[in-house]
Amino acid sequence: MLTDWSKTRKPEKEEINSRYKEAVAKLEKQQITIKEKKLPVLVLFEGYDAAGKGSVLGRIIRNIDPRFFKVFTTAKPSEEEQRKPFLYRHFIKIPQAGKFTFLDGGWMTDVTNDYMAGKIDDEAYKLRIDSVKRFERQLTDNGYLVMKFFFHIKEKEQKKRIDALLSDKNTAWRVSDSDLWQNKHYKKCTDIFDRYLCDTNQSSAPWYLIDAEDKKWAELQVLEYLVQGIDTALKNSSLSVPLLQNVFPLKKTPKLKDISLDKALTDKEYKEQLKKYQEKLRRLHNKLYLKKIPVIIAYEGWDAAGKGGNIKRITEALDPRGYEVHPIASPEPNEKARHYLWRFWNRLPKTGHVAVFDRTWYGRVMVERLEGFCSENDWQRAYNEINEFEKELSDWNAVIIKFWVQIDKDTQLERFTERQNTPEKQWKITDEDWRNREKWDLYEAAVNEMLKKTSTSFAPWHILESNDKKYARIKALKIVIEEIEKKLDEIKD
Amino acid sequence: MLTDWSKTRKPEKEEINSRYKEAVAKLEKQQITIKEKKLPVLVLFEGYDAAGKGSVLGRIIRNIDPRFFKVFTTAKPSEEEQRKPFLYRHFIKIPQAGKFTFLDGGWMTDVTNDYMAGKIDDEAYKLRIDSVKRFERQLTDNGYLVMKFFFHIKEKEQKKRIDALLSDKNTAWRVSDSDLWQNKHYKKCTDIFDRYLCDTNQSSAPWYLIDAEDKKWAELQVLEYLVQGIDTALKNSSLSVPLLQNVFPLKKTPKLKDISLDKALTDKEYKEQLKKYQEKLRRLHNKLYLKKIPVIIAYEGWDAAGKGGNIKRITEALDPRGYEVHPIASPEPNEKARHYLWRFWNRLPKTGHVAVFDRTWYGRVMVERLEGFCSENDWQRAYNEINEFEKELSDWNAVIIKFWVQIDKDTQLERFTERQNTPEKQWKITDEDWRNREKWDLYEAAVNEMLKKTSTSFAPWHILESNDKKYARIKALKIVIEEIEKKLDEIKD
């Protein structure tokens, strides 16, 4: 592809200068409209070493108000980043609505480097490509403009540039081993770049190939494509995108009304089992840490279902240095201004750690759906987007445990009333809880749809019958233990 | 993919019935909105033989007013269809705005059949995939809803159905050799279907896999996806889609103002050469016919530039049974209601024939652009769409010749005035011609952009300097001869 792809002929200097002025003037105007219309713009620079990505990027951003953009240079993944899912360090950099993110290198670099170095084989490469396509599609589906530039220089030109840097003491340090390696294996690199570009050239986020033999001309090409892309994106207000068919294997889930809630434990049973299972979990946490397995425990359920107390019984058994609890309230303005999964990507644990979410990303298909905080197309798309998110976690080898804490309507009323009448519990009950209670049936329907559509084989829902909180706590502990043991067994093989 | 792809679990009969009623009611309402909002809907049924595509299709359309849809069953390509480009018979079936087309089999069948039969190799398969992706992308970019269903049944079920048909004299005739072959080579077919589905699963026109083991359930799945897809599409009014980078090799073209128009022939030179070249062309036409090479000659140029007379000198040399001239005026309502390239696909010659277009598909980036007959995004996208169209013609091995007939503004004025003052020529000059003349500069800029962006290596523009009509005619003849000879040489190799 790189070889067939016809580059635009470089115009005369005079034409470059006049087109350059025009493009810059447009970009300066566009940044205001981008802010007004809340368009998030992600600009990715990839390409050959020494092709001048960094310096072109540096010149482009001079035309943009520094309050409107962020720049990131993607180095080798840090120790910390290596302990997160492959896409983590890229996902957390996506811009807010109305702002730019410029990336000097990104997920393409990660994939092609790992592939060239033999760190991933053909099969793993294909999984990565699927991840990348889903990632980019999720961004554009959610209204992001994603502009991808690939800087191309020929083998000779690359050598010339590297030699020029090497010949001067003051610049020689800038030549890395990888630059030299790439030039020596130029043909091999080109084949791998070619393949990656073809594999990820989606019409909603297409590649733009930049002829980078001349810097000013390279800059103009980027500017013109960028201005054109922004122009197109600004014309679309709210987009409805096709809903994709589920491609993940699903497990059968019961409807809420069919769950029998009469399960209970005596105090004695509870105490004995609590002690036993907490001890067991404590030992397992240690193994998890040594084997570097990440664990994600997600709690959803009715108000007053007993999530807090349940979580406490889990975390009591964990080493405080190895877990975090994330209470999820409504998003902060800077979170709301990004892809709704961003704040969860941001809270992922390191390998070997446990993250417990008290309410989760499923807010999208419950409260956000029912309160109209997102469009219909948004929440309808979300089932698949969430499954894809959990697929990333699963491919990263995480233990994913999702609990729905279930009570009936009468039990909720009892607990609400008790909270109201007990001074030290009054903070736990608000007008909103009462309002939500009025919408019980709507919520029940939404929860049923959620359980049905997101109970994948790799991240199934577990129901905790919590009319008796003791029963629910022991059941949760048992499931957590079971799932961790399953994963430890897998790893052993 | 077929094997991993999780199918939705079949619900109980009662649930199927109630969801069925709901979906049908929605579809009945939607057909009215589709008409009002002028949404064109293309529905493609593909899948295993005996999976019941036809009968499900038959039941679905019962819910739609017969005035709103057309159904086509794709059989083996006819003799006539085989003499057109591969996509021709599919492109001409696309619906008008506000209507449905249902296809029982389509381009997938063509590609997978040819591949299975060894008629196309891996390389040709990849070219087909590129064509298919471009075709589907052009439709969705131009506001079409494209719904693709693949009907899946297991090997055993297929065998059962075929045996049932065979066992009854009245139905045995319905079992074709290809049905039997497919069941015998079920695994091989599955692999090829898998690959095709993955290769063409674009997010703007995704595949929906239908579990077709049960007919009523299959019908419900199709109905629900269809209703959902329509619902999403109806929410989008006018979409601006990303402009793709040109990927085709381009030839350098001059700007109109740099073309010297003083070239001329004497009457004597003209007569001699006309005779010579027309004779040569006559002989070549015969060869073309025998070698089954299609020729497409496209004329664009200023009003009064002499297109008509030029075309005449070409066609005089051709056998009337082997060519057609297509004068292109503004589109008929039924043409306007479709993809703007539809009326040109519809007018493609058979192999061995010559089609001359007096004005062409380039209207999109000239008159339609300047008169505001399409959106900015529409005409900006058109350069690439047109290059892709001509790439299809080139892959089909056509000779493609594009003429821009150039005169200067003074010459146009002379010819307009002469027409005005000569009674028998007055029909040739209209108020519109004068109005267009006032926009000369705008047209000139548009033409320059068009020449620059659409002069591909496989379909370059040729300039005919036509201040002297005789010179332009001889030049046209020479180019036509040259291009045909080039193609005949290629074929020989």
Side-chain angles (χ1 to χ4, degrees):
Chain A
M1 181 208 234
L2 280 181
T3 35
D4 326 336
W5 199 305
S6 72
K7 280 163 238 139
T8 322
R9 203 173 307 99
K10 182 182 153 195
E12 299 302 314
K13 203 175 161 189
E14 200 183 327
E15 187 184 331
I16 291 189
N17 286 337
S18 80
R19 278 165 60 181
Y20 186 82
K21 267 185 208 152
E22 204 186 322
V24 164
K26 276 192 196 157
L27 183 58
E28 277 171 357
K29 266 194 207 159
Q30 283 177 334
Q31 60 179 322
I32 310 301
T33 324
I34 283 172
K35 197 169 147 49
E36 284 168 5
K37 293 216 174 179
K38 297 187 188 300
L39 177 72
V41 184
L42 181 60
V43 188
L44 176 64
F45 285 71
E46 297 277 9
Y48 287 91
D49 290 334
K53 299 190 298 287
S55 70
V56 167
L57 197 164
R59 291 181 54 91
I60 299 256
I61 54 175
R62 282 196 220 156
N63 308 302
I64 307 175
D65 186 312
R67 288 165 298 180
F68 296 166
F69 69 82
K70 285 210 158 42
V71 175
F72 299 96
T73 301
T74 304
K76 289 217 167 114
S78 67
E79 157 68 18
E80 165 99 15
E81 285 169 342
Q82 284 178 29
R83 294 180 63 182
K84 304 271 185 166
F86 144 66
L87 282 172
Y88 164 81
R89 66 192 196 125
H90 308 297
F91 206 112
I92 61 167
K93 289 172 189 151
I94 61 171
Q96 293 189 36
K99 302 209 170 174
F100 290 87
T101 287
F102 288 91
L103 295 176
D104 183 0
W107 47 100
M108 172 177 180
T109 302
D110 281 355
V111 175
T112 52
N113 278 353
D114 282 0
Y115 188 66
M116 264 183 263
K119 277 187 206 163
I120 52 174
D121 62 6
D122 254 12
E123 208 183 327
Y125 169 84
K126 276 182 198 156
L127 283 180
R128 291 278 177 98
I129 293 293
D130 287 345
S131 295
V132 164
K133 286 168 79 174
R134 291 193 296 242
F135 169 44
E136 294 178 358
R137 201 210 64 239
Q138 280 208 18
L139 291 179
T140 54
D141 278 2
N142 283 277
Y144 278 70
L145 170 63
V146 179
M147 298 291 295
K148 305 186 296 191
F149 298 108
F150 185 87
F151 279 55
H152 182 257
I153 50 172
K154 297 201 185 98
E155 187 174 356
K156 262 193 192 163
E157 176 69 19
Q158 191 183 42
K159 184 153 176 26
K160 213 174 87 189
R161 292 186 189 185
I162 290 173
D163 288 346
L165 289 170
L166 285 176
S167 68
D168 180 342
K169 264 189 224 164
N170 296 315
T171 57
W173 62 272
R174 288 175 52 193
V175 177
S176 70
D177 287 351
S178 113
D179 295 350
L180 295 169
W181 191 92
Q182 195 177 85
N183 192 247
K184 213 173 149 188
H185 302 85
Y186 185 92
K187 175 72 180 67
K188 183 182 173 183
C189 292
T190 301
D191 289 345
I192 289 170
F193 292 157
D194 256 1
R195 183 173 167 198
Y196 180 92
L197 293 173
C198 288
D199 285 344
T200 59
N201 196 33
Q202 305 188 91
S203 62
S204 55
W207 278 104
Y208 295 94
L209 227 73
I210 303 300
D211 169 10
E213 307 273 325
D214 174 279
K215 282 202 179 166
K216 181 89 180 188
W217 169 225
E219 193 188 343
L220 177 59
Q221 292 168 75
V222 172
L223 268 173
E224 288 188 336
Y225 284 124
L226 185 58
V227 163
Q228 184 190 75
I230 292 171
D231 212 39
T232 306
L234 285 173
K235 280 181 199 144
N236 291 320
S237 43
S238 79
L239 222 65
S240 283
V241 296
L243 299 177
L244 304 179
Q245 184 177 24
N246 171 51
V247 297
F248 301 112
L250 293 175
K251 289 203 163 180
K252 201 168 163 65
T253 51
K255 289 198 174 160
L256 292 187
K257 70 172 168 48
D258 298 330
I259 295 167
S260 69
L261 290 167
D262 50 5
K263 290 159 186 164
L265 291 180
T266 63
D267 280 356
K268 186 161 168 275
E269 286 169 327
Y270 174 62
K271 273 187 196 162
E272 280 172 14
Q273 296 189 24
L274 184 67
K275 197 173 168 231
K276 177 174 133 195
Y277 290 122
Q278 284 191 334
E279 267 167 25
K280 195 158 187 189
L281 180 55
R282 195 164 293 125
R283 285 194 301 274
L284 284 173
H285 191 203
N286 213 22
K287 281 197 195 164
L288 283 176
Y289 190 80
L290 293 171
K291 299 266 182 192
K292 292 224 159 79
I293 296 168
V295 179
I296 289 153
I297 307 178
Y299 277 86
E300 289 287 355
W302 297 104
D303 290 330
K307 288 190 297 292
N310 202 302
I311 290 172
K312 210 163 154 247
R313 300 321 182 278
I314 303 282
T315 55
E316 279 171 357
L318 303 176
D319 181 330
R321 289 163 300 181
Y323 81 86
E324 260 186 298
V325 176
H326 300 288
I328 302 298
S330 47
E332 301 287 325
N334 85 86
E335 294 172 331
K336 219 167 168 166
R338 288 187 171 91
H339 191 299
Y340 68 98
L341 289 175
W342 181 77
R343 58 182 179 143
F344 304 103
W345 275 94
N346 230 334
R347 286 169 170 82
L348 291 177
K350 287 194 289 195
T351 53
H353 285 238
V354 179
V356 181
F357 291 87
D358 182 358
R359 300 207 180 277
T360 69
W361 43 97
Y362 284 96
R364 188 70 161 188
V365 292
M366 294 196 291
V367 55
E368 292 188 42
R369 165 183 176 174
L370 290 175
E371 303 294 336
F373 296 155
C374 63
S375 77
E376 196 182 341
N377 191 244
D378 284 338
W379 64 258
Q380 284 179 335
R381 237 175 26 234
Y383 301 107
N384 180 49
E385 290 171 341
I386 287 173
N387 287 343
E388 290 179 339
F389 169 54
E390 294 172 357
K391 179 70 164 58
E392 291 305 320
L393 304 180
S394 156
D395 284 351
W396 172 52
N397 240 330
V399 177
I400 310 162
I401 302 164
K402 302 187 308 199
F403 289 127
W404 175 260
V405 191
Q406 173 65 1
I407 52 173
D408 57 34
K409 220 176 158 182
D410 292 342
T411 304
Q412 189 187 52
L413 185 60
E414 266 171 42
R415 293 187 187 169
F416 274 15
T417 315
E418 200 220 332
R419 286 179 178 186
Q420 204 101 5
N421 299 337
T422 316
E424 65 275 23
K425 286 191 181 171
Q426 272 167 15
W427 64 273
K428 278 180 138 183
I429 179 98
T430 65
D431 288 354
E432 209 192 319
D433 293 332
W434 289 104
R435 277 198 304 276
N436 287 342
R437 182 174 161 79
E438 278 169 32
K439 296 188 183 168
W440 182 285
D441 292 348
L442 289 174
Y443 271 96
E444 181 161 333
V447 172
N448 279 331
E449 188 170 357
M450 168 187 95
L451 295 175
K452 191 176 157 193
K453 292 188 171 171
T454 61
S455 213
T456 54
S457 63
F458 50 83
W461 280 99
H462 301 275
I463 306 293
L464 300 179
E465 297 85 347
S466 192
N467 270 10
D468 178 61
K469 290 180 183 176
K470 299 188 296 295
Y471 176 85
R473 290 168 188 171
I474 298 302
K475 183 169 179 187
L477 274 165
K478 281 159 110 173
I479 290 170
V480 170
I481 289 167
E482 200 182 313
E483 293 296 321
I484 293 174
E485 284 180 333
K486 233 194 276 169
K487 182 64 74 176
L488 287 168
D489 278 352
E490 266 176 51
I491 298 287
K492 241 187 291 177
D493 300 340
Chain B
M1 181 208 231
L2 279 180
T3 35
D4 327 334
W5 197 306
S6 72
K7 279 162 237 141
T8 321
R9 200 171 309 100
K10 183 182 151 194
E12 299 302 314
K13 202 175 163 189
E14 199 182 328
E15 186 183 333
I16 291 189
N17 286 337
S18 80
R19 279 164 61 179
Y20 185 84
K21 267 185 209 152
E22 203 186 324
V24 164
K26 276 192 195 158
L27 183 58
E28 277 171 358
K29 267 194 206 159
Q30 283 177 334
Q31 61 179 323
I32 310 302
T33 324
I34 283 172
K35 197 169 147 50
E36 284 168 5
K37 293 217 174 178
K38 297 187 189 299
L39 178 72
V41 183
L42 181 60
V43 188
L44 176 63
F45 286 71
E46 297 277 8
Y48 288 89
D49 288 336
K53 299 189 298 289
S55 71
V56 168
L57 197 164
R59 292 181 52 92
I60 298 256
I61 54 174
R62 283 197 221 156
N63 308 301
I64 307 175
D65 185 314
R67 288 164 299 179
F68 297 166
F69 70 84
K70 284 209 159 40
V71 175
F72 299 96
T73 301
T74 303
K76 290 220 166 110
S78 67
E79 158 69 18
E80 166 99 13
E81 286 169 342
Q82 284 178 30
R83 294 181 63 183
K84 304 272 185 164
F86 143 65
L87 282 173
Y88 164 82
R89 67 191 194 126
H90 307 296
F91 206 114
I92 61 166
K93 287 172 190 152
I94 62 171
Q96 293 191 35
K99 301 208 170 172
F100 290 87
T101 287
F102 289 91
L103 296 176
D104 183 0
W107 46 100
M108 172 177 181
T109 302
D110 281 356
V111 175
T112 52
N113 277 353
D114 282 1
Y115 187 66
M116 262 182 266
K119 278 188 204 162
I120 52 175
D121 62 8
D122 254 11
E123 207 183 329
Y125 170 84
K126 276 182 197 156
L127 283 180
R128 289 278 177 99
I129 293 292
D130 286 344
S131 295
V132 164
K133 286 168 78 173
R134 290 193 298 243
F135 170 44
E136 294 178 357
R137 202 210 62 240
Q138 280 208 17
L139 290 179
T140 55
D141 278 1
N142 283 277
Y144 278 70
L145 171 62
V146 179
M147 298 291 295
K148 305 187 296 190
F149 297 108
F150 185 87
F151 279 55
H152 182 257
I153 50 171
K154 298 202 185 98
E155 188 174 356
K156 262 192 193 163
E157 175 68 20
Q158 191 184 43
K159 183 153 178 21
K160 211 175 87 188
R161 292 187 189 184
I162 289 173
D163 287 347
L165 289 171
L166 285 176
S167 68
D168 180 342
K169 261 189 223 162
N170 296 315
T171 57
W173 62 273
R174 287 176 52 194
V175 177
S176 70
D177 288 349
S178 114
D179 297 348
L180 294 169
W181 191 91
Q182 196 177 84
N183 193 248
K184 212 174 150 189
H185 302 84
Y186 185 91
K187 175 74 181 66
K188 183 182 173 182
C189 293
T190 301
D191 289 344
I192 289 169
F193 292 158
D194 256 1
R195 182 172 168 197
Y196 180 93
L197 293 174
C198 288
D199 286 343
T200 59
N201 195 33
Q202 304 188 93
S203 61
S204 55
W207 278 105
Y208 295 93
L209 225 76
I210 303 301
D211 168 12
E213 307 274 324
D214 174 278
K215 281 202 179 165
K216 181 89 179 189
W217 169 226
E219 193 189 343
L220 176 59
Q221 292 169 74
V222 172
L223 267 174
E224 288 189 335
Y225 285 124
L226 185 59
V227 163
Q228 182 190 75
I230 292 170
D231 212 39
T232 305
L234 285 173
K235 281 182 196 145
N236 292 319
S237 43
S238 80
L239 222 65
S240 283
V241 295
L243 299 176
L244 304 180
Q245 184 176 26
N246 170 51
V247 296
F248 300 112
L250 293 175
K251 289 202 163 181
K252 202 169 163 61
T253 51
K255 290 197 171 158
L256 291 187
K257 70 172 168 47
D258 298 330
I259 295 166
S260 69
L261 291 167
D262 51 5
K263 292 160 185 163
L265 292 179
T266 63
D267 280 356
K268 189 166 168 274
E269 285 170 330
Y270 173 65
K271 273 189 195 159
E272 279 173 14
Q273 295 189 24
L274 184 67
K275 197 174 169 228
K276 178 173 132 196
Y277 290 122
Q278 284 191 335
E279 267 168 25
K280 195 157 188 190
L281 180 55
R282 194 164 293 124
R283 284 194 303 274
L284 284 174
H285 192 202
N286 212 22
K287 281 198 196 164
L288 282 176
Y289 189 81
L290 292 172
K291 298 269 181 191
K292 294 225 158 80
I293 296 167
V295 179
I296 290 153
I297 308 178
Y299 277 85
E300 289 286 356
W302 298 104
D303 289 330
K307 288 190 297 294
N310 201 302
I311 290 171
K312 207 160 158 254
R313 300 320 181 281
I314 303 284
T315 54
E316 279 171 358
L318 302 176
D319 181 329
R321 290 163 301 181
Y323 81 86
E324 260 185 299
V325 176
H326 300 288
I328 301 298
S330 47
E332 301 288 326
N334 86 86
E335 294 172 330
K336 220 169 171 165
R338 288 188 172 89
H339 191 300
Y340 69 98
L341 289 175
W342 181 76
R343 58 182 179 143
F344 304 104
W345 274 95
N346 230 335
R347 287 169 168 82
L348 291 177
K350 286 194 290 195
T351 53
H353 283 237
V354 179
V356 181
F357 290 88
D358 183 357
R359 301 205 180 280
T360 69
W361 42 97
Y362 285 95
R364 188 71 162 186
V365 293
M366 295 197 290
V367 57
E368 291 188 43
R369 165 183 176 173
L370 291 175
E371 303 296 335
F373 296 156
C374 62
S375 77
E376 197 183 340
N377 192 242
D378 284 338
W379 64 258
Q380 284 180 336
R381 236 174 26 235
Y383 300 108
N384 181 49
E385 290 170 341
I386 287 173
N387 287 343
E388 289 179 340
F389 169 53
E390 293 173 357
K391 179 70 165 55
E392 290 304 321
L393 303 181
S394 157
D395 285 352
W396 172 53
N397 240 332
V399 177
I400 310 162
I401 303 165
K402 304 188 305 201
F403 289 127
W404 175 260
V405 191
Q406 172 65 3
I407 52 172
D408 58 33
K409 218 174 157 180
D410 292 343
T411 305
Q412 189 188 52
L413 184 61
E414 264 171 43
R415 292 186 188 168
F416 274 14
T417 315
E418 201 221 332
R419 285 179 179 186
Q420 203 100 4
N421 299 338
T422 316
E424 67 275 23
K425 284 192 182 169
Q426 272 165 15
W427 65 272
K428 278 181 138 184
I429 179 97
T430 65
D431 288 354
E432 207 191 320
D433 294 332
W434 289 103
R435 278 198 304 275
N436 287 342
R437 183 175 161 79
E438 278 168 32
K439 296 189 182 167
W440 183 285
D441 292 348
L442 288 175
Y443 270 96
E444 181 161 332
V447 172
N448 279 331
E449 186 170 357
M450 167 187 96
L451 295 176
K452 191 175 155 194
K453 292 188 170 170
T454 60
S455 212
T456 53
S457 62
F458 50 82
W461 280 99
H462 301 274
I463 306 293
L464 300 179
E465 297 86 346
S466 191
N467 269 10
D468 178 62
K469 290 180 183 177
K470 299 189 296 295
Y471 176 85
R473 290 168 187 171
I474 298 301
K475 184 169 177 186
L477 275 166
K478 280 159 107 173
I479 290 170
V480 170
I481 288 167
E482 202 182 311
E483 293 295 322
I484 292 174
E485 284 180 333
K486 234 196 277 170
K487 181 64 73 178
L488 287 168
D489 278 353
E490 268 176 48
I491 298 286
K492 239 187 289 176
D493 300 341

